[in-house]
Amino acid sequence: MIAQHLSESTEMYLKAMAELSDHDNVVAIARLAERLSVTAVSANEMMRRLGEQGLVTHTPYKGVALTVKGREVACNVVRRQRLWECFLYDHLKIEWSQLYELACSLEHATAPEVTEALDLFLGHPKTCPRGNPIPDADGLFVPLSGIPLSEVEVGKTVRVLAVNATAKDVLKYLFERNLLPGHEVKVIEAAPLQGPLTLRLDGKNKDVALGLSLAEFVVVEENSNQ
Amino acid sequence: MIAQHLSESTEMYLKAMAELSDHDNVVAIARLAERLSVTAVSANEMMRRLGEQGLVTHTPYKGVALTVKGREVACNVVRRQRLWECFLYDHLKIEWSQLYELACSLEHATAPEVTEALDLFLGHPKTCPRGNPIPDADGLFVPLSGIPLSEVEVGKTVRVLAVNATAKDVLKYLFERNLLPGHEVKVIEAAPLQGPLTLRLDGKNKDVALGLSLAEFVVVEENSNQ
DNA sequence: GGGAATAATAAGGTCAACCATATATAAATT
DNA sequence: AATTTATATATGGTTGACCTTATTATTCCC
Ligand SMILES: [Mn+2]
Ligand SMILES: [Mn+2]
Ligand SMILES: [Mn+2]
Ligand SMILES: [Mn+2]
């Protein structure tokens, strides 16, 4: 059970699986390939390799799932990622939209000693600047109990819990519109035919239009007022 | 002149060259291979590749040297390395002997924004915890004007400027004997036939024996008292 | 100058992680 | 049931960074 060093590629596949997996923890290989900007053939090959290492299981035509061991690794990568996001944001004052990308490099170069010392230095933060929970050293964390902004009923006001996007341009776009953890959003209108939402941020009077696919990245509280 | 991402391997070769190069900046490929724990054939192959990229020049049977471009990259890697050493030591309280190794991983995963923000966060440190100078953003630094402890005359007392070792066990060994930057060392005796030195640390009365090859790693002030 | 040591090159191989193109198979839809 | 779509697998290739085992070329030293 000694943790030999896994490649950056391996870690990224496992992390992507943790981020994309639904209720039953299954991910379609095509989704994975998409997320990692890799062909489906490459993702399939990689899943075979990870399968041989006991990190994933593949049920053909159904999808792949993390094993216990695989999930352990994935949670640890997520932990490193989000701790670095905290450090980069709170101490280095790095731009919010760049946090994911910059931390995504550091996460693979971070030894356990550094991870734990960083966690202590940061005061054991519970969430990263994008609002997502930080797994503890054992991989445990309280999952977000929210829903995507895209599923909120028109007229309701909700609070943003987290932003799940990873692409810099998407994060920049959301940041510029103040769609950040802690902010309040009222859904004024939902255009038909999968059209954009019209949102009111923090009770301001200037409204914001947001495409549905972008709204899927924004996780909000389920319990709303009004 | 846009800095495309160089591989970890490339950065390590260039850094090793900067660390090993003598007055005329030339390094024997065999020394490089040794340092990087790689066969001479592999190092030769790599030098060909780096030559094609304009990072090094190879004069057969003489050695390799960094080009201006290559030196620029190398200094930047050293900068990242030593800034991380500062952070790990001063803020994360990581053990001194582990600093090099842990920072050596992080250095390759550090974007320019992070490097510069880290430098600012640390207050633009001039040296790393091992006593070596930190190049500035342009790659400039004042080289250490010291000599190896192995070359100090018997009877002289000198101050340690820096420790150039990188291996964890060597660093641990030196740390346990207090051979650290800032400490004073008197050379009591030098055994014949490349035998060990007998040292007196900080005027204490308990003496320390140190092999000559280890003493080469310890850089001390040239100007000594007594 | 000649031999020993050192350095370089040649040749052939491995391995991880990617690629494209083609074919096979299962699932979903009409 | 038949067709379309999604998924998987089979082949064959590439690249970077390693390896081993020769063989050749140069430099160093006696
Ligand atoms: Mn990453
Ligand atoms: Mn904690
Ligand atoms: Mn390194
Ligand atoms: Mn500075």
Side-chain angles (χ1 to χ4, degrees):
Chain A
M1 261 298 195
I2 292 128
Q4 75 287 333
H5 191 249
L6 300 173
S7 70
E8 168 160 355
S9 204
T10 295
E11 290 195 337
M12 285 306 284
Y13 272 92
L14 297 177
K15 190 176 81 163
M17 286 178 68
E19 284 170 353
L20 293 175
S21 65
D22 57 1
H23 36 83
D24 49 343
N25 292 327
V26 172
V27 192
I29 294 185
R31 291 297 83 59
L32 210 49
E34 218 172 83
R35 162 72 71 115
L36 296 168
S37 302
V38 148
T39 63
V41 174
S42 296
N44 261 283
E45 281 175 344
M46 192 62 172
M47 287 304 108
R48 186 184 41 70
R49 269 178 243 132
L50 298 188
E52 283 163 4
Q53 293 177 253
L55 295 166
V56 308
T57 54
H58 182 195
T59 318
Y61 300 101
K62 252 220 92 193
V64 282
L66 292 166
T67 62
V68 172
K69 190 175 153 198
R71 177 160 299 279
E72 213 172 278
V73 174
C75 285
N76 199 264
V77 178
V78 169
R79 172 170 169 77
R80 283 174 258 152
Q81 147 92 55
R82 293 183 182 161
L83 286 172
W84 279 123
E85 283 189 71
C86 289
F87 173 67
L88 295 178
Y89 191 63
D90 295 340
H91 296 273
L92 297 198
K93 316 297 182 193
I94 299 269
E95 217 178 286
W96 190 81
S97 59
Q98 290 195 266
L99 295 176
Y100 183 90
E101 191 169 303
L102 295 173
C104 187
S105 295
L106 289 168
E107 65 191 356
H108 313 289
T110 309
E113 302 94 304
V114 175
T115 308
E116 298 321 310
L118 186 60
D119 181 50
L120 180 60
F121 171 79
L122 295 169
H124 306 298
K126 292 275 171 296
T127 60
C128 74
R130 286 179 307 127
N132 293 112
I134 298 174
D136 71 17
D138 304 313
L140 301 174
F141 65 98
V142 186
L144 280 184
S145 63
I147 57 169
L149 177 56
S150 51
E151 291 174 13
V152 172
E153 283 173 52
V154 172
K156 289 205 166 175
T157 299
V158 291
R159 189 172 293 277
V160 176
L161 285 176
V163 175
N164 270 328
T166 58
K168 191 162 53 180
D169 53 343
V170 170
L171 288 164
K172 186 155 180 276
Y173 189 92
L174 295 174
F175 178 77
E176 284 165 353
R177 281 153 188 79
N178 246 343
L179 281 156
L180 303 173
H183 289 254
E184 277 202 342
V185 190
K186 181 172 184 181
V187 181
I188 303 289
E189 192 188 0
L193 299 171
Q194 316 280 32
L197 302 178
T198 303
L199 306 172
R200 184 160 300 163
L201 266 292
D202 299 309
K204 301 246 170 63
N205 55 4
K206 186 158 181 304
D207 293 346
V208 161
L210 189 75
L212 259 199
S213 45
L214 282 175
E216 277 172 34
F217 289 126
V218 181
V219 181
V220 299
E221 267 178 340
E222 203 154 10
N223 298 332
S224 58
N225 43 335
Q226 167 64 241
Chain B
M1 261 297 198
I2 291 129
Q4 75 288 332
H5 191 249
L6 299 172
S7 70
E8 169 160 354
S9 205
T10 294
E11 290 195 337
M12 285 306 285
Y13 272 93
L14 297 177
K15 190 176 83 164
M17 285 177 68
E19 285 169 354
L20 293 176
S21 66
D22 57 1
H23 35 83
D24 49 343
N25 292 327
V26 172
V27 192
I29 294 185
R31 293 296 82 58
L32 210 48
E34 218 172 83
R35 163 72 71 111
L36 297 168
S37 303
V38 148
T39 64
V41 175
S42 296
N44 262 283
E45 282 174 343
M46 193 62 172
M47 287 305 107
R48 186 184 41 70
R49 270 178 242 131
L50 298 188
E52 283 163 4
Q53 294 177 252
L55 294 166
V56 309
T57 54
H58 181 195
T59 318
Y61 300 101
K62 253 219 93 189
V64 282
L66 292 167
T67 61
V68 172
K69 191 175 154 197
R71 178 161 298 279
E72 213 174 277
V73 174
C75 285
N76 199 264
V77 178
V78 170
R79 172 170 169 77
R80 282 174 258 154
Q81 148 92 55
R82 293 182 182 161
L83 286 172
W84 278 124
E85 283 190 71
C86 290
F87 174 67
L88 295 178
Y89 191 63
D90 295 339
H91 296 273
L92 297 197
K93 314 297 181 193
I94 299 268
E95 218 178 284
W96 190 81
S97 59
Q98 289 194 267
L99 294 177
Y100 183 90
E101 190 169 304
L102 295 174
C104 188
S105 295
L106 289 169
E107 65 191 357
H108 312 289
T110 310
E113 300 94 303
V114 175
T115 308
E116 298 321 309
L118 185 60
D119 181 50
L120 180 61
F121 171 80
L122 295 169
H124 306 297
K126 292 275 171 295
T127 60
C128 73
R130 286 178 307 127
N132 292 112
I134 298 174
D136 70 16
D138 304 313
L140 302 173
F141 64 98
V142 186
L144 280 183
S145 63
I147 56 169
L149 177 56
S150 52
E151 291 174 12
V152 173
E153 284 174 52
V154 171
K156 289 207 167 173
T157 300
V158 290
R159 189 172 293 277
V160 177
L161 285 177
V163 175
N164 270 328
T166 58
K168 192 162 54 182
D169 53 344
V170 171
L171 288 165
K172 187 154 179 277
Y173 188 91
L174 296 174
F175 178 77
E176 284 165 354
R177 282 152 188 80
N178 246 344
L179 281 155
L180 302 173
H183 289 254
E184 277 203 339
V185 190
K186 181 172 186 181
V187 181
I188 304 289
E189 192 189 0
L193 296 173
Q194 316 281 33
L197 304 177
T198 303
L199 306 172
R200 183 159 302 162
L201 266 290
D202 299 308
K204 301 243 172 64
N205 56 3
K206 186 161 181 302
D207 293 346
V208 161
L210 190 74
L212 258 200
S213 44
L214 282 175
E216 277 172 33
F217 289 126
V218 181
V219 181
V220 300
E221 267 179 338
E222 203 153 12
N223 299 331
S224 57
N225 43 335
Q226 172 55 241

